[in-house]
Amino acid sequence: MSASVAVYRNIYTEDRFRQSYGTEAKTHGGGQRFREKIAERCRCSRAACLHLLRERVPIFNWLPKYRLKKWILGDTIAGLTVGILHIPQGMAFALLTSVAPIYGLYTSFFPVVLYMLFGTGRHVSTGTFAVVSLMTGSVVEQLVPTPLQLNSSSPEAADFEAQRIGVASAVALLSGIMMLCMFGLQLGFLSTYLSEPIVKAFTSAAAFHVTISQLQSMLGLRLPRHTGPFSLFKTLASVIENLPHTNIAELLTSLVCLAILVPVKEFNMRFRQRLRTPIPVEILTVIIATGVAYASSLDSNYDVQIVGHIPAGFPSPRMPALHTLPEVAGDTVAITFVGYAVSVSLAMIYADKHGYSIQPNQELLAHGISNTVSSLFTCFPSSATLATTNILESSGGFTQLSGLFTSLVVLIVLLLIGPLFYFLPKAVLACINVTSLRQMFLQFQDLPDLWRVSKIDFVVWLVTWLSVVVLNVDMGLAIGVVFSMMTVICRTQRAGCSVLGRASNTEIYRPLENHNKCYEVPGVKILTYNGPIYYGNRSFFREDMSRLLGLTPERIRSREKARKALEKREREAVNTVERGVANTSFSSENEIFKSETAESEVQAVLIDCSSVIFVDVAGARLFIQMCIDCQKVGVCIYLANCNESVLKILTSSGLMNYMNPQHIFVTVHDAVMYIQQQKEQPPENTNTVWV
């Protein structure tokens, strides 16, 4: 099947096209428009209030539209399944945060309820997340380090736990306040600076930190927790050094738990399409391990570390340790960005999969309120979680209502069942922590595809991963973000300039290095630059342009000297003949050289600005300097495909004082047709183009 297109129209410069098709400029000023927008925003009505309520509290938007018969069963099963999983994971991730397990249960309850009210992700499960818990635990260990000798039943132990949860709650409070401030400033777009390679490399490397930090609990070693740079290697060296002191009973407990958890979780993953709900192996392991530890008195007979007292009932409100806010502020920034980026990424993945949209700024509000309110009930920072979100979606959840059933399961445990986990060995929770990281370790499988698609993104992944593993979590993340931004800057600096050629009998122009059947238009050098022109790359842009046009200082000086000599002879000659259309301020210097210019030499330079997304002041001044240099060698400059912002900056910078405004065209082909007709036909016939 073949098709063809034929177009016969006028040649359009930017001015002519704007006169024919442009929008009329509004007469009122910017200040008046601003006042009108403010007045419209401040106008209050019943409809506006209801719209604002539904927008900021999304449950009022989706709950009236809830399809009870179609969705309630899926939401119930998914919510109950995730709630059962929250119980062991909440207690396990509390160990990562260096606080008592009961606080992990609190963090698995309050954020779930609050996100159900304010969140826009229908398949997002919030609560404790391994990476956020690890980062928070590092802050807690720095401010309240673990004493080597501490009796868990002494009053000092209770005060010690209160100090720790005070610091963790302070981090949650400050993180929530930061998110609320970001929401007020509409900074939801900041999550885009954590690109997919950065997030995947960061979470994968953090999984190594989590695994190494749990070795001491799995081996029954009582070691201080290392923080700061090289903490992973310090912890690993400390564990290896103390291997002779391994508690055999806890080692056997860990091996048995891993032998159960790993195969069953693998079974759940492989047959997730056939299973209505995954096997709740974590909660089953917790129940069985608690029963065995109680029957065998593992704590007293074999010195096995157990969870200890878990108070029953609802937590009373308590203010976080506000005096620690200045000390935790720096680390909280990293925790906030990681938690928000992971949460929004997960929400977007499942929103795209199920055909709905989320609002990044509303997600800031939801997680900000969740962390702020939860911190008043002794909770540590929360976010969306990888494992429970995946299970929520695969179990058939439809809406945020599944969070109601999840919170009911956790609430029952808090009110009634919690004290029964007194004899639960901590080694079991450590095994649950390690096995929950399966998805993060499997992200190494993406590396071959990443290398094939983009080697730069592969390097970003590798640098981020190595930085997090070698240094620490927050510093490695910062290095990854900075390195990723540097790659973007380097790519804009080295965007590259290409010479375009025309495909025969078409208006299509493509780079000659990739299309050898295209040809250069005689006497016209068509150039395109594939990036912005700003202070960071102006020197590279000028170097490429000078190389392609041959604008060496020697050539400019020699041609300028020849021009001045010719002008002197022209003034003395009486019979001077002016050729071409009169345009004394812009074209006379170029026309003088036509008699001396060979047909093969470049007489006009056309710059295709279609890939130039923006120009700053330095770039605009560079355009002016290029115009001056080209005029000195008798070459006229034309522009095409300029977007509105680029054209506005070039015009405002005074470029029109150095080039003809009628030399700016809508398309490259318009400019080429104009240049060719200027050479071949009288000016009055240069107003149409045939494609």
Side-chain angles (χ1 to χ4, degrees):
M1 178 181 177
S2 62
S4 62
V5 59
V7 178
Y8 186 75
R9 62 170 176 80
N10 293 330
I11 292 177
Y12 283 113
T13 64
E14 282 289 345
D15 286 344
R16 186 175 181 182
F17 188 83
R18 191 180 298 110
Q19 291 171 6
S20 301
Y21 300 102
T23 305
E24 294 184 5
K26 296 182 179 179
T27 56
H28 53 272
Q32 185 176 350
R33 289 198 302 269
F34 179 75
R35 287 193 297 271
E36 289 177 357
K37 290 181 179 180
I38 293 296
E40 184 179 352
R41 294 264 182 164
C42 295
R43 192 175 295 120
C44 185
S45 66
R46 183 174 180 274
C49 291
L50 289 176
H51 174 74
L52 181 63
L53 181 65
R54 287 193 295 266
E55 188 177 23
R56 296 300 168 225
V57 189
I59 191 173
F60 291 115
N61 186 30
W62 59 261
L63 190 59
K65 305 173 185 176
Y66 191 83
R67 302 178 184 177
L68 188 64
K69 294 181 179 180
K70 184 177 180 180
W71 292 343
I72 189 62
L73 181 61
D75 282 341
T76 303
I77 294 175
L80 295 177
T81 304
V82 172
I84 292 171
L85 183 61
H86 264 310
I87 297 164
Q89 282 200 356
M91 293 190 291
F93 291 158
L95 294 184
L96 283 178
T97 317
S98 298
V99 296
I102 184 61
Y103 301 117
L105 295 178
Y106 295 157
T107 310
S108 299
F109 174 75
F110 289 100
V112 175
V113 176
L114 293 167
Y115 186 84
M116 180 184 68
L117 300 176
F118 297 97
T120 59
R122 302 176 190 174
H123 300 85
V124 173
S125 173
T126 57
T128 56
F129 180 46
V131 176
V132 173
S133 297
L134 177 69
M135 298 174 72
T136 307
S138 299
V139 179
V140 172
E141 289 288 345
Q142 290 175 13
L143 298 183
V144 190
T146 305
L148 293 179
Q149 301 296 330
L150 181 66
N151 187 354
S152 59
S153 60
S154 63
E156 292 81 6
D159 182 63
F160 173 74
E161 287 295 341
Q163 292 180 36
R164 289 200 146 188
I165 191 57
V167 173
S169 299
V171 174
L173 175 65
L174 189 55
S175 177
I177 293 174
M178 287 181 179
M179 289 186 183
L180 292 176
C181 292
M182 291 168 65
F183 164 75
L185 298 173
Q186 299 291 285
L187 298 180
F189 67 90
L190 289 179
S191 63
T192 57
Y193 289 104
L194 293 179
S195 63
E196 183 178 342
I198 291 178
V199 172
K200 288 189 173 182
F202 170 75
T203 53
S204 179
F208 280 86
H209 280 272
V210 173
T211 302
I212 297 300
S213 69
Q214 296 304 291
L215 286 178
Q216 55 179 312
S217 296
M218 296 170 66
L219 298 175
L221 301 175
R222 292 164 176 80
L223 304 174
R225 185 167 172 176
H226 297 280
T227 59
F230 311 106
S231 58
L232 184 144
F233 303 102
K234 293 176 183 177
T235 302
L236 189 59
S238 181
V239 169
I240 294 174
E241 184 181 352
N242 288 273
L243 278 178
H245 305 293
T246 299
N247 187 317
I248 302 300
E250 294 198 68
L251 175 60
L252 292 175
T253 301
S254 300
L255 292 176
V256 172
C257 288
L258 291 175
I260 296 173
L261 289 168
V262 173
V264 177
K265 289 175 78 71
E266 187 66 25
F267 179 84
N268 285 339
M269 184 59 62
R270 291 200 176 189
F271 297 97
R272 61 183 181 273
Q273 301 296 337
R274 301 181 183 179
L275 296 173
R276 185 67 179 87
T277 60
I279 300 173
V281 63
E282 289 93 346
I283 191 64
L284 293 176
T285 304
V286 166
I287 293 172
I288 294 172
T290 303
V292 171
Y294 172 74
S296 306
S297 300
L298 293 180
D299 57 324
S300 56
N301 293 335
Y302 301 98
D303 195 27
V304 172
Q305 299 180 71
I306 60 174
V307 168
H309 175 63
I310 297 180
F314 211 68
S316 56
R318 185 194 306 175
M319 285 298 295
L322 299 180
H323 64 279
T324 63
L325 291 180
E327 299 174 80
V328 304
D331 296 290
T332 305
V333 173
I335 293 172
T336 301
F337 272 92
V338 170
Y340 175 63
V342 171
S343 300
V344 172
S345 298
L346 280 174
M348 286 184 173
I349 288 172
Y350 289 103
D352 292 340
K353 182 177 180 180
H354 292 276
Y356 63 92
S357 61
I358 67 159
Q359 302 174 22
N361 285 306
Q362 180 63 26
E363 290 295 295
L364 273 175
L365 177 65
H367 290 287
I369 292 176
S370 296
N371 280 288
T372 303
V373 176
S374 299
S375 68
L376 304 178
F377 293 91
T378 60
C379 296
F380 50 85
S382 63
S383 71
T385 64
L386 294 175
T388 55
T389 298
N390 184 33
I391 291 174
L392 178 67
E393 190 266 344
S394 61
S395 299
F398 289 100
T399 67
Q400 297 94 316
L401 191 65
S402 59
L404 174 64
F405 301 101
T406 298
S407 58
L408 287 176
V409 173
V410 179
L411 181 61
I412 291 172
V413 174
L414 285 174
L415 298 179
L416 303 174
I417 306 176
L420 299 179
F421 295 120
Y422 180 92
F423 290 97
L424 175 62
K426 290 185 177 181
V428 176
L429 297 179
C431 292
I432 292 174
N433 272 334
V434 173
T435 56
S436 68
L437 304 173
R438 177 185 181 278
Q439 285 179 285
M440 299 184 193
F441 285 121
L442 289 180
Q443 290 177 141
F444 280 99
Q445 297 176 351
D446 298 335
L447 286 180
D449 289 338
L450 196 61
W451 173 264
R452 179 175 52 84
V453 174
S454 173
K455 292 177 175 57
I456 293 179
D457 285 339
F458 177 88
V459 174
V460 170
W461 197 104
L462 198 61
V463 169
T464 305
W465 189 88
L466 289 173
S467 301
V468 174
V469 168
V470 174
L471 299 175
N472 61 5
V473 177
D474 49 358
M475 190 179 300
L477 176 64
I479 291 174
V481 172
V482 171
F483 183 79
S484 178
M485 296 300 296
M486 290 300 298
T487 62
V488 175
I489 294 173
C490 289
R491 277 184 274 188
T492 60
Q493 285 185 320
R494 298 289 187 177
C497 191
S498 303
V499 178
L500 299 184
R502 181 184 177 185
S504 299
N505 300 319
T506 71
E507 85 292 358
I508 300 172
Y509 296 82
R510 290 291 184 268
L512 291 174
E513 62 264 25
N514 300 325
H515 304 82
N516 56 7
K517 293 184 179 180
C518 295
Y519 67 92
E520 280 197 78
V521 178
V524 182
K525 183 74 74 172
I526 308 173
L527 305 176
T528 183
Y529 191 73
N530 301 312
I533 302 173
Y534 66 110
Y535 70 94
N537 68 352
R538 62 190 297 266
S539 59
F540 299 106
F541 174 68
R542 180 167 188 171
E543 179 183 332
D544 287 344
M545 296 288 288
S546 299
R547 174 177 53 83
L548 293 172
L549 297 176
L551 292 177
T552 60
E554 294 78 10
R555 184 189 177 196
I556 294 174
R557 284 197 297 269
S558 63
R559 294 304 297 270
E560 187 176 17
K561 184 177 180 181
R563 179 182 62 82
K564 290 181 178 179
L566 187 59
E567 285 180 349
K568 184 177 180 181
R569 292 196 302 269
E570 290 279 341
R571 286 194 300 267
E572 295 173 353
V574 180
N575 58 347
T576 300
V577 178
E578 294 184 358
R579 296 180 302 157
V581 179
N583 193 2
T584 57
S585 60
F586 303 109
S587 61
S588 60
E589 293 180 2
N590 296 329
E591 296 295 332
I592 283 175
F593 288 96
K594 285 190 175 180
S595 60
E596 295 184 346
T597 303
E599 288 294 327
S600 60
E601 288 190 14
V602 175
Q603 301 169 23
V605 174
L606 171 57
I607 301 177
D608 176 17
C609 298
S610 59
S611 299
V612 180
I613 55 176
F614 72 88
V615 174
D616 68 353
V617 175
R621 289 175 180 169
L622 180 59
F623 266 98
I624 295 175
Q625 186 60 46
M626 286 177 53
C627 282
I628 296 174
D629 291 343
C630 286
Q631 287 175 0
K632 289 179 180 178
V633 297
V635 176
C636 189
I637 283 190
Y638 298 82
L639 301 180
N641 288 323
C642 294
N643 64 51
E644 290 294 331
S645 62
V646 169
L647 196 58
K648 181 179 179 181
I649 292 175
L650 293 178
T651 304
S652 302
S653 65
L655 180 64
M656 298 305 108
N657 296 328
Y658 300 89
M659 72 174 291
N660 191 337
Q662 300 304 315
H663 286 182
I664 302 176
F665 292 87
V666 174
T667 69
V668 171
H669 196 57
D670 284 84
V672 172
M673 291 294 100
Y674 175 84
I675 295 170
Q676 290 182 330
Q677 292 177 10
Q678 281 284 91
K679 294 193 301 180
E680 299 172 0
Q681 299 177 359
E684 58 270 14
N685 296 327
T686 61
N687 59 351
T688 57
V689 56
W690 171 260
V691 178

